[in-house]
Amino acid sequence: MEIAILIYDKLAALDAVGPYEVMRNVPGWDVRTVAKEVGEVRTEDGSLALVADYSLDQVMATDLLLVPGGRGSRGLMQDEQLLQWLRDVDRTTKWTTSVCTGSLLLGAAGLLQGKRATGNWLVLDPLREFGADPVGGRWVEDGKILTAAGVTAGIDMALHLVAVEAGPEVAQAVQLGLEYDPDPPFDSGSPEKAPAEIVAAVRAFAAANS
Amino acid sequence: MEIAILIYDKLAALDAVGPYEVMRNVPGWDVRTVAKEVGEVRTEDGSLALVADYSLDQVMATDLLLVPGGRGSRGLMQDEQLLQWLRDVDRTTKWTTSVCTGSLLLGAAGLLQGKRATGNWLVLDPLREFGADPVGGRWVEDGKILTAAGVTAGIDMALHLVAVEAGPEVAQAVQLGLEYDPDPPFDSGSPEKAPAEIVAAVRAFAAANS
């Protein structure tokens, strides 16, 4: 399985690195990082750089495409070169996937037309603009399109993909290797579970910083 | 809060990037990446490069030190320059932390003497060589030393740190921002929960690749 992870300036690193760590631990799966240009891209606040080993024109086909989210996705929604690349590569994939606001990029490329899809809980409604049917859930599968909710949901989505493609035993082994037995100190990970005042504060912060 | 994340060749990217994503989302917390030299380091299989913005001699003090794990930690356990840096920086920290096999580096530097500590479930016993008392748990706090279990446990540990230092409301808001409402497709994330044959397979794989 050949996997291409798109990275770009102002991405959320964990959107990419969560699924990366799951998938690169599967025997025979090869992961490549792709960006508009080879070299460094920086996270939302600039404090961490990841390196793209390939440019868009070097990766015209892949078995699995993963598009992470992050504040930088907004600017890319009008980037016709990138959107055309997403369309072209999607024609070659077995799976086209996204994490968090990465689904907005798939939508902007026209790949979510008539599809059920998810993404960051704060930006589900905008998926309608692209003809998608936004739904909740940790990840949503509609044909070969697999979209995950915010940031950490990419880890769960990737384990699902490993189970489907390599079998549940391999997925369980990878989960154990990553000691993914989550035990967050609070139960505040979704707007349904978090205290109302926390949800309001995060909404306000996102609105002020969007 | 000034945070320094040590990175090095053959690290496990998620060990570093999980806590990174939690901590960099806390208002007023600044995260820096540090390595023996400024520039790229690559993950265990070489398929992803992260960039260190600072070299060891540029970061001689920090409030919080985080040492991730990965196969590369083994070679560094005899690297006296790095071990001395860990000792020197530890004298300046409020928190000295590790994820996964990063605790072996803290141990090799002599920082776990007489401390309860944890790490990857496959390499808990070797912590005894460094005078530590290896215990289970998602993360273990002993004074200012905070050690997390394997890979993904760093996310839980970081949320705990945010709660202690910035308050539970901030930790809950960060958790919601990262939509950290984990829902893995299997319950296979610890040796106690995974099927016995999966545990045996992961043990055998680790032994063959260590």
Side-chain angles (χ1 to χ4, degrees):
Chain A
M1 185 88 104
E2 289 274 351
I3 293 133
I5 300 183
L6 177 72
I7 60 176
Y8 52 83
D9 268 322
K10 298 193 189 297
L11 89 162
L14 188 52
D15 287 27
V17 173
Y20 163 80
E21 196 72 58
V22 170
M23 297 192 290
R24 75 133 193 115
N25 272 290
V26 180
W29 289 29
D30 291 311
V31 185
R32 292 186 288 184
T33 48
V34 191
K36 293 195 76 169
E37 290 166 22
V38 171
E40 286 186 25
V41 304
R42 288 200 168 258
T43 53
E44 288 180 334
D45 66 349
S47 60
L48 175 66
L50 308 180
V51 177
D53 288 329
Y54 296 88
S55 60
L56 298 182
D57 56 346
Q58 291 176 311
V59 180
M60 291 311 293
T62 191
D63 299 318
L64 192 157
L65 171 66
L66 185 128
V67 179
R71 206 164 298 158
S73 60
R74 195 165 292 265
L76 293 176
M77 287 165 67
Q78 285 84 42
D79 185 320
E80 189 49 42
Q81 182 210 6
L82 179 77
L83 300 180
Q84 188 58 47
W85 181 82
L86 291 172
R87 287 179 208 114
D88 290 344
V89 170
D90 173 68
R91 275 194 282 274
T92 74
T93 63
K94 187 167 182 187
W95 294 99
T96 295
T97 74
S98 66
V99 179
C100 201
T101 55
S103 59
L104 293 174
L105 284 175
L106 296 186
L111 302 176
L112 299 185
Q113 197 72 42
K115 300 279 185 188
R116 286 177 307 111
T118 196
N120 184 297
W121 62 275
L122 283 162
V123 283
L124 282 181
D125 259 2
L127 288 170
R128 289 188 207 283
E129 294 168 33
F130 306 117
D133 175 19
V135 292
R138 198 71 180 145
W139 41 263
V140 172
E141 189 174 335
D142 190 341
K144 75 173 191 178
I145 301 279
L146 193 49
T147 51
V151 191
T152 56
I155 299 172
D156 295 331
M157 179 184 78
L159 283 169
H160 166 71
L161 268 167
V162 174
V164 171
E165 286 291 328
E169 294 80 9
V170 175
Q172 286 171 293
V174 170
Q175 184 181 356
L176 180 57
L178 303 183
E179 215 158 334
Y180 184 45
D181 182 23
D183 187 18
F186 303 96
D187 189 14
S188 184
S190 78
E192 293 76 28
K193 294 176 178 175
E197 63 274 20
I198 301 288
V199 177
V202 171
R203 262 191 215 286
F205 183 85
N209 288 275
S210 69
Chain B
M1 184 87 106
E2 289 274 349
I3 294 132
I5 300 182
L6 177 72
I7 60 176
Y8 52 83
D9 268 321
K10 298 192 189 300
L11 89 160
L14 187 53
D15 287 27
V17 173
Y20 163 79
E21 196 71 59
V22 170
M23 296 192 291
R24 75 136 191 112
N25 271 289
V26 180
W29 289 28
D30 291 311
V31 185
R32 292 186 288 183
T33 48
V34 191
K36 293 195 76 170
E37 290 166 22
V38 170
E40 287 186 23
V41 304
R42 289 202 167 257
T43 53
E44 288 179 336
D45 66 350
S47 60
L48 175 67
L50 308 180
V51 177
D53 289 330
Y54 296 88
S55 60
L56 299 181
D57 57 346
Q58 290 176 312
V59 179
M60 291 310 294
T62 191
D63 299 317
L64 192 157
L65 171 66
L66 185 127
V67 179
R71 206 164 296 158
S73 60
R74 196 165 291 266
L76 293 176
M77 287 166 66
Q78 285 84 40
D79 185 320
E80 189 48 43
Q81 182 209 7
L82 179 78
L83 299 180
Q84 189 57 47
W85 181 82
L86 291 172
R87 287 178 208 114
D88 291 343
V89 170
D90 174 68
R91 274 194 282 273
T92 75
T93 63
K94 188 168 183 185
W95 294 100
T96 295
T97 74
S98 66
V99 180
C100 200
T101 55
S103 59
L104 293 174
L105 285 175
L106 296 186
L111 301 175
L112 299 184
Q113 197 72 43
K115 301 278 186 187
R116 287 177 305 111
T118 195
N120 184 297
W121 63 275
L122 282 162
V123 283
L124 282 181
D125 258 3
L127 288 170
R128 289 188 207 283
E129 295 169 32
F130 306 117
D133 175 18
V135 291
R138 197 70 180 146
W139 41 262
V140 172
E141 188 174 335
D142 190 341
K144 75 173 191 178
I145 301 280
L146 193 48
T147 51
V151 192
T152 56
I155 299 172
D156 295 332
M157 179 184 78
L159 283 169
H160 167 69
L161 269 167
V162 174
V164 171
E165 286 291 328
E169 294 80 9
V170 175
Q172 286 171 293
V174 170
Q175 184 180 356
L176 180 57
L178 302 183
E179 215 159 333
Y180 185 44
D181 182 23
D183 188 17
F186 303 95
D187 189 15
S188 184
S190 78
E192 293 76 28
K193 294 176 178 175
E197 64 273 20
I198 301 289
V199 177
V202 171
R203 262 191 214 286
F205 183 84
N209 289 275
S210 70

